[in-house]
Amino acid sequence: KFIKKELYDEEGKILYRVYREGRGDTKGFADDYAFLIEGLIDLYEATFETSWLQWADELQRKSPPETLLLTPFPSPQEVNLI
């Protein structure tokens, strides 16, 4: 809950990565989003609280494009592997 309250901008859907006596200006990188999403899924699996899973889904869908998070891999047909 600390991360959502202190390091996540609900309005802009931006995750920040630094906190020291308040949130810093450094926006999260792709790995910050990925590890947080992984942790939220783990929390859901441990508690079955759907709020964790909903936030993980929101992070995946609404993450800033510059993080290049979870960009779909091309299918084998798209890269001519088949």
Side-chain angles (χ1 to χ4, degrees):
K1 295 182 180 181
F2 173 83
I3 293 173
K4 192 167 189 176
K5 179 181 176 194
E6 301 294 340
L7 292 173
Y8 186 64
D9 177 2
E10 291 273 352
E11 187 175 313
K13 306 295 184 201
I14 298 170
L15 179 66
Y16 290 86
R17 68 182 336 234
V18 178
Y19 185 93
R20 182 171 184 209
E21 298 177 6
R23 182 177 74 198
D25 295 331
T26 307
K27 294 179 182 176
F29 299 120
D31 61 339
D32 297 315
Y33 282 84
F35 290 129
L36 179 55
I37 289 168
E38 182 180 27
L40 292 169
I41 292 169
D42 289 342
L43 279 168
Y44 168 73
E45 289 174 347
T47 66
F48 295 106
E49 287 184 40
T50 58
S51 62
W52 300 124
L53 198 56
Q54 289 168 345
W55 190 28
D57 185 55
E58 178 183 319
L59 285 168
Q60 182 208 344
R61 293 175 186 272
K62 304 290 184 179
S63 62
E66 63 269 13
T67 63
L68 300 176
L69 177 64
L70 302 177
T71 302
F73 290 106
S75 70
Q77 293 83 7
E78 291 174 315
V79 292
N80 299 318
L81 294 176
I82 296 179

